Amino acid sequence: MNSSRLVFRSQLPRKNDTYSYGPPPDSPPPTSEDFISFQLKCGLSLCRVCSCLAPKTCSKCHKVNYCSKLHQLMDWKLQHKQLCSESFDVQSVPVPDHGFLFPEYEIVTEPEETASDDDGTGMDLDTLTSEDISSCIESPMDNLKLDENELSAMAKQETKEDKAFNSFKKRISSEPEQVLRYCKGGEPLWLSLQHVPEKDDIPKCACGAERLFEFQVMPQLLNHLKVDSLEESIDWGVLAVYTCSANCNAEKHYVEEFLWKQDVPSNAI
Ligand SMILES: [Zn+2]
Ligand SMILES: [Zn+2]
Ligand SMILES: [Zn+2]
């Protein structure tokens, strides 16, 4: 169900009310043992469970904030019940794992190395910056052509659908842990020939500009999210994200963009 997945774009200017202007320190990221601030620079408070804006305050101690009654209750049961008092020092107590947020990781970015890196990619290079080129991938159509030669001997009895899936697997085999593929203006790496969008299926941005493919989220990410505890299955094959080609108007608030979900075909393993 696409309706349960939304994509938002934020392009905060470097100088903003939330994050510091300078780069983050080289020190390792905070662990749950470290103190985490639940107050933004502008004074707004954040929920101790989910870090969303938190208009509710514990009415007894006025020291902790929550987005909702539900999260207040979660924290109350897990920790705050024992600590709630006028003398409670928020900074002295590590935040417990409420089991609510997905774990956080650092994403390491590397250009994809393919066997045919020196071939033309069929993309209009003039429209890409050097940064884009280094992180760009080739279009899956090129990849299919390549595989046709390489696999011609064994591919005779393969259906086109098998080929698409095998091509997908081969393409990611050099970096099997990849969770994201980025290539603004490029093409997603589809894992199936079914449910691939036509140009008209991608709605334009509210500003009137076309949306371009920007990146796709790979199913490998599911392994890292610890989703077993969720009641609903959130499986996907490819989550392709299309964003405004004009990068319009996202300095002050989030802008909704477009997501296309392709499932793993039922006959594929
Ligand atoms: Zn919350
Ligand atoms: Zn309290
Ligand atoms: Zn736009």
Side-chain angles (χ1 to χ4, degrees):
M1 275 193 312
N2 250 348
S3 56
S4 58
R5 295 156 214 269
L6 299 175
V7 170
F8 294 93
R9 170 168 54 93
S10 158
Q11 287 175 286
L12 278 178
R14 186 165 168 191
K15 219 173 186 174
N16 66 76
D17 288 342
T18 309
Y19 302 105
S20 65
Y21 184 80
D26 276 340
S27 54
T31 67
S32 56
E33 294 299 305
D34 294 331
F35 166 66
I36 303 167
S37 172
F38 286 98
Q39 192 159 49
L40 295 178
K41 258 165 46 186
C42 58
L44 289 172
S45 300
L46 303 178
C47 174
R48 203 166 160 78
V49 175
C50 69
S51 298
C52 288
L53 283 180
K56 297 188 188 311
T57 307
C58 175
S59 56
K60 278 173 101 178
C61 68
H62 302 282
K63 299 276 172 87
V64 286
N65 300 278
Y66 303 97
C67 67
S68 61
K69 200 101 203 135
L70 188 71
H71 283 180
Q72 181 171 17
L73 198 66
M74 247 182 195
D75 193 43
W76 181 259
K77 283 185 184 161
L78 196 66
Q79 185 189 66
H80 195 58
K81 194 179 178 176
Q82 288 100 51
L83 303 174
C84 180
S85 76
E86 306 252 315
S87 58
F88 173 43
D89 177 11
V90 201
Q91 305 198 7
S92 67
V93 184
V95 182
D97 180 6
H98 296 92
F100 177 79
L101 297 175
F102 288 138
E104 286 182 25
Y105 301 93
E106 180 185 1
I107 296 178
V108 179
T109 315
E110 288 172 346
E112 180 177 49
E113 287 177 30
T114 59
S116 53
D117 261 352
D118 44 358
D119 288 355
T121 60
M123 292 174 54
D124 183 6
L125 294 181
D126 289 342
T127 64
L128 299 171
T129 66
S130 57
E131 191 185 303
D132 285 328
I133 292 169
S134 69
S135 61
C136 262
I137 58 175
E138 291 168 355
S139 79
M141 295 317 288
D142 290 338
N143 201 37
L144 287 177
K145 266 187 264 160
L146 185 96
D147 277 357
E148 233 150 44
N149 297 329
E150 286 185 359
L151 304 171
S152 61
M154 55 183 282
K156 278 191 183 118
Q157 68 276 54
E158 269 184 341
T159 64
K160 276 186 174 175
E161 184 59 38
D162 289 338
K163 263 192 212 171
F165 189 61
N166 286 333
S167 167
F168 175 87
K169 284 198 293 191
K170 183 158 184 272
R171 186 64 177 272
I172 62 174
S173 62
S174 62
E175 224 31 87
E177 293 286 294
Q178 59 187 275
V179 292
L180 245 158
R181 295 173 67 86
Y182 184 90
C183 185
K184 186 149 190 182
E187 290 286 335
L189 178 64
W190 300 113
L191 55 60
S192 163
L193 300 173
Q194 295 160 32
H195 200 57
V196 171
E198 302 285 335
K199 200 164 186 288
D200 289 346
D201 292 324
I202 310 298
K204 286 185 176 171
C205 177
C207 77
E210 304 267 342
R211 282 203 176 93
L212 296 175
F213 170 71
E214 183 159 355
F215 66 92
Q216 75 187 83
V217 185
M218 304 296 281
Q220 285 89 325
L221 184 65
L222 286 162
N223 300 330
H224 300 284
L225 293 182
K226 302 188 177 153
V227 288
D228 298 345
S229 58
L230 297 182
E231 284 166 19
E232 264 178 87
S233 161
I234 60 163
D235 282 4
W236 69 79
V238 170
L239 295 178
V241 174
Y242 294 80
T243 57
C244 175
S245 57
N247 291 322
C248 69
N249 196 26
E251 293 207 348
K252 293 254 163 68
H253 51 86
Y254 289 92
V255 176
E256 186 169 354
E257 296 287 9
F258 184 74
L259 178 82
W260 186 273
K261 176 162 94 95
Q262 188 186 53
D263 288 315
V264 180
S266 49
N267 55 343
I269 309 300

